[in-house]
């Protein structure tokens, strides 16, 4: 475990294993624990870097009210890669984390060998906008508290909340996500032309059991925009946790190394 000082924040991260560098980028309100089930098996083949994004869990901001921008988060991911090595790296990004991965690849062609983007929630691509509305969630948060906002988010995204609710740290992360980060993710549009010209092999993945959820359906359209064939992964939006062994096998196949 280590801390990397970046402009405006300190990033808690862990580096394990050996081999090609693989950065795992969590999405939404998640921290590095999102990848607990797959980090160990992946470290048998790769130098695995997991981290808490700025403002989440153990990665505090210098200014708690700082406006969150995708390009800043992408810069954090690049600095993490550079702290480990200079060879073209591998990235596995989940959900909202795909946005900063797309931005990194578009701005730094050649830095990433292969990007696997699992269910990027590019919901502006959908013919009918889903009901996940950042402004409505902010209103719920102000008027009824964070639990009400989390419940609305989970229901609208098609996810099931854990029995007994979320632990305090996860609730705090969700509050940061809803208040500061969600709109930046929702407003982000990848530079598809730059991504296609980047030299990075881009794999867009979806869960085998998540069809109908906004993130799944948006990912299908994103693959078309990028001109790549869709890749199916075991499980749903969080298949890397629920179907870890099979997920790691499919992920290694997607990386090709």
């Amino acid at each position: 475990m280590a801390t990397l000082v970046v402009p405006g924040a300190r990033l808690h991260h862990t580096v394990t294993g050996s081999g090609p560098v693989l950065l795992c980028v969590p999405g939404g309100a998640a921290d590095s624990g999102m990848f607990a089930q797959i980090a160990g098996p992946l470290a048998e083949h790769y130098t695995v870097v997991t981290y808490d994004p700025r403002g989440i869990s153990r990665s505090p901001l210098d200014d708690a009210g700082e406006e969150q921008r995708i390009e800043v988060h992408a810069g954090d991911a690049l600095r993490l890669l550079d702290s480990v090595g200079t060879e073209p790296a591998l990235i596995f990004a989940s959900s909202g984390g795909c946005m900063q991965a797309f931005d990194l690849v578009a701005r730094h062609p050649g830095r990433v060998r292969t990007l696997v983007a699992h269910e990027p929630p590019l919901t502006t691509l959908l013919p009918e906008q889903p009901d996940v509305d950042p402004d409505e969630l902010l209103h719920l948060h102000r008027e009824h508290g964070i639990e009400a906002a989390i419940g609305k988010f989970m229901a609208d995204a098609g996810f099931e909340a854990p029995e007994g609710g979320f632990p305090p740290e996860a609730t705090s992360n969700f509050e940061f996500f809803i208040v500061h980060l969600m709109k930046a993710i929702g407003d982000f549009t990848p530079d598809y032309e730059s991504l296609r010209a980047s030299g990075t092999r881009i794999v867009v993945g979806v869960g085998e059991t998540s069809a109908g959820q906004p993130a799944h359906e948006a990912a299908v359209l994103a693959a078309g925009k990028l001109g790549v064939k869709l890749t199916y992964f075991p499980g749903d939006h969080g298949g890397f946790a629920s179907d870890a062994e099979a997920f790691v096998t499919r992920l290694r196949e997607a990386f090709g190394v």
Side-chain angles (χ1 to χ4, degrees):
M1 294 184 183
T3 298
L4 179 68
V5 178
V6 297
R10 288 166 287 154
L11 302 179
H12 174 90
H13 65 287
T14 301
V15 182
T16 56
S18 61
V21 174
L22 165 57
L23 178 67
C24 295
V25 185
D31 60 19
S32 57
M34 180 183 219
F35 303 116
Q37 301 301 315
I38 63 172
L42 287 172
E44 297 176 9
H45 309 278
Y46 309 100
T47 300
V48 177
V49 184
T50 59
Y51 70 108
D52 299 346
R54 63 170 57 214
I56 296 290
S57 292
R58 296 157 291 184
S59 293
L61 296 167
D62 294 346
D63 175 6
E66 174 191 65
E67 178 188 1
Q68 298 302 299
R69 304 194 310 276
I70 294 301
E71 61 266 28
V72 173
H73 283 259
D76 290 344
L78 178 63
R79 288 183 174 89
L80 281 168
L81 286 179
D82 289 345
S83 73
V84 179
T86 58
E87 292 297 315
L90 308 170
I91 292 181
F92 170 58
S94 169
S95 192
C98 297
M99 308 313 186
Q100 61 215 57
F102 284 144
D103 193 64
L104 190 162
V105 168
R107 292 174 184 269
H108 302 277
R111 186 64 183 86
V112 178
R113 185 195 313 184
T114 301
L115 163 62
V116 176
H118 186 257
E119 298 207 347
L122 293 162
T123 53
T124 56
L125 294 175
L126 298 175
E128 294 184 6
Q129 288 295 300
D131 293 331
V132 182
D133 183 346
D135 291 332
E136 183 180 2
L137 293 181
L138 283 172
H139 175 76
L140 273 174
H141 173 252
R142 286 193 301 267
E143 298 297 322
H144 303 286
I146 187 59
E147 296 290 350
I150 293 173
K152 175 67 172 170
F153 170 81
M154 297 294 285
D156 290 346
F159 304 150
E160 290 187 9
E163 292 185 12
F166 290 94
E169 184 175 79
T171 299
S172 176
N173 287 339
F174 253 112
E175 187 166 30
F176 176 81
F177 166 67
I178 288 172
V179 174
H180 298 289
L181 187 56
M182 184 179 175
K183 184 169 176 54
I185 291 173
D187 288 346
F188 179 76
T189 298
D191 184 339
Y192 294 104
E193 183 176 352
S194 293
L195 288 171
R196 290 191 295 266
S198 66
T200 295
R201 179 169 166 267
I202 297 177
V203 177
V204 177
V206 292
E208 292 174 340
T209 62
S210 58
Q213 294 179 356
H216 179 115
E217 301 306 319
V220 173
L221 298 177
K225 296 275 285 185
L226 290 165
V228 301
K229 184 179 178 181
L230 203 65
T231 299
Y232 284 84
F233 283 80
D236 55 15
H237 193 68
F240 42 84
S242 60
D243 298 88
E245 184 177 353
F247 198 98
V248 166
T249 298
R250 190 71 50 84
L251 189 56
R252 290 191 63 209
E253 292 171 353
F255 285 133
V257 290

